[in-house]
Amino acid sequence: MTQTVEPGDLIQLSSPLPRQLAIVMRQQLPSLAKEVIEEIRRAIPAYGRPIKGPYVQALQIGVERALDQFVEQIASPGAPSDRYKETCRRLGRFEAQEGRTLDNLQAAFRIGAQVAWRRVMKTGPELQLSSTVMAQLAASLFAFIDELASLALEGYLDALPSEELEEHRRRLLQLLLRTPAASRRAVAELAQIAEWEVPDEVTLVAVPAGSRVVRASLDQDLLADLTGDEPHLLVPGRVNEDRLRMLAEALPEGRVVTGLSVAPVHAADSLRWARQTLPLVEQGVLSDGPVTRCEDHLITLWLLSDPAMVDQLARRHLAGVSRLNSVQRDRLLATLHTWLTTRGTAAEIAEELDVHPQTVRYRMRKLEGTLGDRLADPDARFAIEVVLRAMWLRERGAGR
């Protein structure tokens, strides 16, 4: 069992080790650091990401500096340790900013100690180290691991936001999303307590449930509720290119949707539109990349906002066509859609569909006989075009 130590107690828990031991150990550091990192990445999924990622780079730097410091303390017990201590605290702060607990980092410390001790057990007899020196080395090593954990915890706690301030901001976000809208006075009073300036416009962001969030990448002026079944963010103002990059970095594994930019009193509408759009992204109807903006897809959102209504419109305006077999129906609807959107000649429509003009003329006569006077009625034509567009979008989402 290891002892709990305070930062700065490293090595002094045991008798001084032979300083010449540091010369031999320093030769082992490059290969030992590589072995420690490989074992940690293999055992802890969070550290198994691409080696160029900030999470793994922070781990690599931490391991190298920790091992170097351990050997330096043996060579010169009074050597400065400020740089190493700040690295440990930074690792703890990084975990807090990423929105994680210290479990992974503490597990990494334990794995590092195990790998290092296996190396000691292998090389100790080769170097003819006495049992006394081996015992001292073991005590120093595990005291060192305790100090790593203590320093990381210190940095972790320093990086955690004030729980009271976070609670005020969560309450403020809930207040802004209340329906009917809360009074401006109530919002202003709570915003003052939450140390948040109420902007002229806000943009709500819908986040897929279970998304990993890199909290360190989130701008400090955002309001967030990422713990529920429908996580979301509030961005003050419009989502410009800088905000888009920020969202992509903060939510690297999730496809998020930004609602429309609205006055704070309409924040609930912005979130509702974003949430309505999120399933369309997940189904493949929309595929804009890591961040989808509602404002780029308003017609699609409107067309697919009420699928049952689209079905009713289809029954009323396309009843005759729906009775045909699937091949005839698809060909006629494709011709009808092209005619409605281009209003071209038979030759132009034939070129668009890659068929003979006579085929287009035949299909149009078939459509006129099936749909009757609807093609001559502007309102009916508009309804049919809307239905066809909605049907095409739904089939796109279904992969057809």
Side-chain angles (χ1 to χ4, degrees):
M1 181 180 295
T2 58
Q3 294 176 270
T4 301
V5 297
E6 297 298 327
D9 289 345
L10 171 65
I11 303 301
Q12 284 84 346
L13 292 179
S14 58
S15 302
L17 286 160
R19 295 189 180 187
Q20 62 270 26
L21 180 60
I23 299 174
V24 179
M25 294 178 66
R26 192 166 278 120
Q27 297 172 355
Q28 301 273 338
L29 290 186
S31 62
L32 179 57
K34 181 179 179 181
E35 185 179 351
V36 168
I37 292 169
E38 288 177 350
E39 182 65 18
I40 290 173
R41 296 190 68 206
R42 185 196 64 78
I44 304 175
Y47 290 112
R49 297 172 187 158
I51 194 66
K52 292 184 179 180
Y55 205 37
V56 180
Q57 287 181 335
L59 169 69
Q60 186 167 349
I61 293 171
V63 168
E64 292 171 351
R65 288 187 180 174
L67 291 174
D68 184 71
Q69 179 64 25
F70 181 72
V71 173
E72 185 62 25
Q73 286 285 6
I74 295 174
S76 180
S81 58
D82 291 346
R83 185 184 181 202
Y84 138 77
K85 290 181 178 179
E86 179 54 29
T87 298
C88 291
R89 294 189 186 99
R90 190 173 299 164
L91 286 172
R93 287 197 293 270
F94 189 72
E95 295 298 305
Q97 292 164 353
E98 291 269 305
R100 291 185 289 266
T101 67
L102 279 177
D103 292 347
N104 284 340
L105 190 56
Q106 291 171 344
F109 290 154
R110 291 193 295 270
I111 291 170
Q114 292 165 3
V115 173
W117 184 243
R118 283 203 305 264
R119 180 69 68 90
V120 170
M121 292 294 288
K122 177 182 177 181
T123 59
E126 296 174 359
L127 298 173
Q128 297 182 341
L129 297 180
S130 68
S131 58
T132 300
V133 170
M134 291 286 285
Q136 290 175 340
L137 195 55
S140 297
L141 175 62
F142 290 103
F144 181 68
I145 296 302
D146 272 353
E147 183 176 35
L148 286 178
S150 178
L151 290 166
L153 177 60
E154 184 179 312
Y156 184 85
L157 294 176
D158 285 345
L160 289 178
S162 163
E163 291 187 11
E164 184 177 2
L165 184 61
E166 284 293 295
E167 179 59 27
H168 289 321
R169 292 199 166 190
R170 279 192 293 270
R171 287 175 51 212
L172 175 60
L173 179 55
Q174 293 170 359
L175 185 65
L176 287 166
L177 294 173
R178 182 183 297 174
T179 304
S183 69
R184 291 186 178 181
R185 179 178 178 181
V187 171
E189 289 176 352
L190 186 51
Q192 185 175 7
I193 297 173
E195 300 178 11
W196 191 78
E197 185 175 350
V198 181
D200 294 332
E201 288 185 309
V202 297
T203 307
L204 276 293
V205 180
V207 178
S211 296
R212 183 175 71 90
V213 183
V214 182
R215 290 183 178 269
S217 296
L218 289 175
D219 291 342
Q220 295 299 309
D221 59 346
L222 268 62
L223 301 182
D225 183 354
L226 299 170
T227 59
D229 294 334
E230 295 182 320
H232 52 278
L233 302 164
L234 183 149
V235 179
R238 296 179 177 270
V239 176
N240 55 23
E241 291 301 318
D242 289 339
R243 295 285 202 185
L244 287 174
R245 283 192 293 271
M246 177 271 297
L247 290 171
E249 292 173 3
L251 297 145
E253 298 172 358
R255 297 173 63 81
V256 303
V257 176
T258 64
L260 299 183
S261 300
V262 296
V265 70
H266 299 304
D269 288 331
S270 179
L271 181 58
R272 175 166 53 84
W273 293 323
R275 283 178 174 164
Q276 288 176 349
T277 306
L278 187 57
L280 302 182
V281 176
E282 295 171 340
Q283 294 163 13
V285 176
L286 302 176
S287 54
D288 282 356
V291 182
T292 300
R293 303 193 303 180
C294 272
E295 64 184 48
D296 296 334
H297 305 283
L298 294 181
I299 297 299
T300 298
L301 181 59
W302 171 62
L303 288 174
L304 299 182
S305 62
D306 193 338
M309 182 60 70
V310 171
D311 292 339
Q312 290 297 325
L313 286 169
R315 289 191 184 97
R316 283 161 173 74
H317 293 284
L318 297 173
V321 179
S322 65
R323 298 191 190 101
L324 302 174
N325 65 52
S326 60
V327 175
Q328 289 178 309
R329 182 177 63 246
D330 290 347
R331 288 173 177 173
L332 287 180
L333 291 181
T335 303
L336 177 58
H337 181 263
T338 304
W339 178 74
L340 288 169
T341 54
T342 66
R343 301 308 296 268
T345 64
E348 291 169 339
I349 296 173
E351 184 177 358
E352 180 76 19
L353 297 175
D354 195 22
V355 298
H356 195 277
Q358 191 61 33
T359 301
V360 173
R361 296 186 185 99
Y362 166 78
R363 291 179 184 176
M364 289 305 301
R365 287 195 297 270
K366 184 75 172 176
L367 285 166
E368 289 168 357
T370 303
L371 300 177
D373 296 335
R374 290 191 180 91
L375 294 184
D377 182 345
D379 291 338
R381 285 201 308 269
F382 174 73
I384 290 171
E385 186 173 353
V386 166
V387 168
L388 290 176
R389 175 68 178 176
M391 290 171 61
W392 179 81
L393 287 169
R394 288 201 302 196
E395 290 178 355
R396 176 183 174 184
R400 292 176 55 187

